[in-house]
Amino acid sequence: MIRGLVFDFDGLILDTELPVYQAWAEIYQRHGLELSAEFWTTIIGRGSDYFDPVADLEQRLGLELDREAIQAARRTREMEMVMDLRVMPGVNEWRQQATAMGVGMGVASSSSRRWVVGHLERLALDGFSCIRCGDDVERAKPAPDLYLAVLECMGVAAHEAVAVEDSGSGVRAAKAAGLHCVAVPSSMTAGHDFAPADLILGSLAEVSFREVVARLG
Ligand SMILES: [Mg+2]
């Protein structure tokens, strides 16, 4: 019996991965360097501690940069693009179906709580009783910590919960924690390895949550 539905945030609820990459790629360009999309896909879903673009730029340029100014410019450009994004197809339908079925909902994200909760509130996406973010745990995905923290908060066993993820490291985190996992590759993660997932969908709009629960049954 499924009693919990846990969403990833970036690339799953909102396709922020492309703006985040684009904003950094533009900063690299301004310094005469390239940030390849191929490389960026390998760090997606792992949290900001895993790769520090400013440190990378400094190393490649061999000089010290104004970190604060770069981060401020990056945030402004990123937000410009993120504000234009719509909630990913099927997310609202899945939320409504889970609510109707009495299934609790949570969010497990390697990003900061400020980022995740800020966007959820801005978009009026409510109903998530347990939200665990990068700042709440020691290890980001692909470690199972975020999922284990959400399960504990929800009071749901791993085999009673379904995770929805757009990245390979997110799928690995969910499976390491013992949840069922539905992978929905996003614009930046299509090349990831989704083999550990129980189900791979092109979009959450493809199949209803009810149908997925029946299939995982
Ligand atoms: Mg993601």
Side-chain angles (χ1 to χ4, degrees), residues 1-2 159 162 180 209-217:
M1 166 130 177
I2 297 299
H159 70 272
V162 181
H180 300 277
F209 175 58
R210 205 174 285 277
E211 167 69 21
V212 165
V213 168
R215 277 199 217 176
L216 295 173

Side-chain angles (χ1 to χ4, degrees), residues 10-11 15-30 33-45 51 53 56-57 60 74-75 77-79 81-82 85 115 186-189:
D10 292 280
D15 197 2
T16 54
E17 301 293 7
L18 195 56
V20 170
Y21 164 69
Q22 191 66 39
W24 278 118
E26 287 175 12
I27 285 170
Y28 272 66
Q29 268 166 22
R30 234 173 286 151
L33 293 170
E34 192 205 350
L35 178 65
S36 84
E38 289 72 32
F39 168 72
W40 194 257
T41 60
T42 68
I43 66 134
I44 282 178
F51 176 70
D56 180 53
L57 275 171
R60 287 169 67 176
R74 188 265 311 166
R75 272 194 298 271
R77 181 69 182 114
E78 190 178 273
M79 200 50 80
M81 293 184 278
V82 169
L85 297 173
W115 171 263
S186 62
S187 56
M188 294 293 295
T189 61

Side-chain angles (χ1 to χ4, degrees), residues 8-14 16-17 44-46 108-111 141 164-170 184 186 189 192:
D8 171 43
F9 180 73
D10 292 280
L12 194 283
I13 289 178
L14 211 57
T16 54
E17 301 293 7
I44 282 178
R46 308 194 61 152
S109 169
S110 291
S111 293
K141 301 171 188 175
V164 206
E165 275 286 353
D166 76 299
S167 74
S169 69
V184 190
S186 62
T189 61
H192 285 192

